[in-house]
Amino acid sequence: MEELLLEYGLYGLFVLSFLAATFLPVASEAALGGLILAGADPYACVAVATIGNTVGAVTTWGVGRWGSEPFLTRLLGLSAAQRERAVRIFARYGSWSLLLAWTPIIGDPLCAVAGLFGLTLKRFIPPVLLGKLARYAGLAYLLS
């Protein structure tokens, strides 16, 4: 990961942030921190990581929207309990629950469940973007 960041900078951060919001276990926070500590512009890093992670979340939403529930369970590697938890959270809080799309373990399932429930992108993107921006901006603030 370090080599990718050093060689590709913000482009590498975008790719890692995108992948982190899909079903792959990638630490985009470490990539953001590494670039900032290496002297990259924190504002640019936060913007790129937020956009990449949000586009990745939209991809996960699309898998939920056009995939079947059994397919999602296999793809996410979720237990029935984890899937039901995501469904309960989304059913109770609706699109506001997507402010938590950045969280480990529950974030990806929430995005997929939002797609599965037919939430429009117009209602999906704002809370996801806001939650991811807050996470990356908070991390950048702690590092500066």
Side-chain angles (χ1 to χ4, degrees):
M1 183 169 85
E2 270 183 61
E3 291 174 20
L4 179 69
L5 282 176
L6 293 175
E7 187 172 342
Y8 295 104
L10 292 175
Y11 296 110
L13 178 60
F14 179 88
V15 170
L16 291 172
S17 297
F18 171 86
L19 292 174
T22 61
F23 306 108
L24 300 174
V26 177
S28 61
E29 297 85 0
L32 176 86
L35 276 178
I36 290 173
L37 293 174
D41 176 22
Y43 293 105
C45 289
V46 168
V48 167
T50 299
I51 293 167
N53 212 241
T54 301
V55 172
V58 169
T59 302
T60 302
W61 170 89
V63 170
R65 178 82 172 172
W66 294 292
S68 68
E69 203 165 335
F71 172 73
L72 289 174
T73 301
R74 281 194 310 274
L75 183 64
L76 291 170
L78 296 175
S79 68
Q82 289 171 313
R83 189 183 76 237
E84 287 305 314
R85 181 174 179 215
V87 168
R88 277 194 317 273
I89 290 170
F90 188 80
R92 182 170 183 186
Y93 299 105
S95 61
W96 290 107
S97 67
L98 295 168
L99 289 168
L100 300 174
W102 62 270
T103 59
I105 300 172
I106 196 71
D108 293 340
L110 278 174
C111 292
V113 165
L116 189 65
F117 282 3
L119 188 69
T120 64
L121 283 176
K122 185 177 177 179
R123 292 193 57 215
F124 176 81
I125 291 175
V128 169
L129 181 71
L130 183 61
K132 291 175 182 293
L133 175 62
R135 171 191 59 181
Y136 288 124
L139 179 60
Y141 177 77
L142 291 174
L143 292 171
S144 10

